[in-house]
Amino acid sequence: VILLNYDRPYNVHRLIKELKQQEKVDLDIWLWDSQPSREKEKLEEFDCRVIRDTINPGIFARWELTRMATSSYPLMWDDDIHLKGNLVVYDILQAKKKEKPEVIVGWRGVKMMTEGQSYTDCFHTRSELSEKDQRVHIVKGQIFMIDREFLEK
């Protein structure tokens, strides 16, 4: 699990605890800890592998850590999304294994309705608002799993 923190250490402690309670999966948690407002002496300690960055490079951290992970199915998780239940990661993994390698399983996405449509004018969707899976053109952050085989291409 690539856990991305932007200056919300209070969320991270809770989320690490929730991730460690997940059943039917063995997780290696890596935290990208971006705390620009904190001095080195006041940095939080976390119960996982931590990479610290005070600059916050945005989405680039997500992809660099994912490339470094050894899992067949790296899972990216933003620090403001908490788990409801102990089988959440297992369920995401099972959904991903049913898909082709190029399919990213995620929670939010964007559908372009016409060629060349601007991002803000596209249809933005969230899985909890839908009764069925949806194909999108852009997978947004927060939660998503990718196949290592596809990531390397």
Side-chain angles (χ1 to χ4, degrees):
V1 177
I2 308 302
L3 178 54
L4 302 157
N5 173 37
Y6 180 72
D7 211 18
R8 289 184 282 247
Y10 46 87
N11 279 356
V12 174
H13 289 292
R14 178 177 157 197
L15 188 49
I16 289 172
K17 182 179 177 182
E18 292 167 359
L19 285 166
K20 289 186 175 205
Q21 292 173 346
Q22 292 297 292
E23 298 173 10
K24 297 186 179 185
V25 289
D26 292 319
L27 301 179
D28 186 15
I29 303 168
W30 294 19
L31 170 65
W32 186 277
D33 185 31
S34 187
Q35 297 184 34
S37 67
R38 296 174 184 255
E39 299 173 18
K40 283 187 179 183
E41 311 78 57
K42 298 179 183 176
L43 289 174
E44 296 281 332
E45 292 298 322
F46 299 104
D47 188 19
C48 66
R49 190 176 302 190
V50 179
I51 294 91
R52 298 202 188 274
D53 182 6
T54 57
I55 298 172
N56 187 24
I59 63 167
F60 300 107
R62 178 183 316 261
W63 296 110
E64 282 306 308
L65 272 185
T66 303
R67 288 182 63 236
M68 293 168 58
T70 57
S71 169
S72 298
Y73 300 99
L75 174 63
M76 282 152 268
W77 203 283
D78 284 4
D79 65 357
D80 55 348
I81 305 296
H82 291 280
L83 292 91
K84 290 188 174 185
N86 293 345
L87 294 171
V88 174
V89 175
Y90 176 77
D91 290 343
I92 294 170
L93 178 60
Q94 294 313 303
K96 177 61 191 124
K97 286 181 174 181
K98 292 177 185 173
E99 298 290 348
K100 295 178 184 175
E102 62 270 16
V103 172
I104 299 171
V105 173
W107 181 46
R108 300 179 74 184
V110 176
K111 291 182 183 180
M112 291 189 296
M113 300 303 166
T114 60
E115 182 82 21
Q117 187 174 20
S118 75
Y119 179 81
T120 54
D121 292 335
C122 291
F123 178 70
H124 294 253
T125 182
R126 293 169 56 154
S127 64
E128 78 275 17
L129 302 177
S130 176
E131 304 224 352
K132 61 181 184 168
D133 292 343
Q134 299 179 50
R135 301 282 177 185
V136 296
H137 297 99
I138 302 168
V139 175
K140 294 174 82 170
Q142 292 190 311
I143 303 169
F144 59 93
M145 183 176 280
I146 190 168
D147 190 303
R148 163 136 328 271
E149 176 185 334
F150 182 69
L151 177 65
E152 294 301 323
K153 291 179 182 181

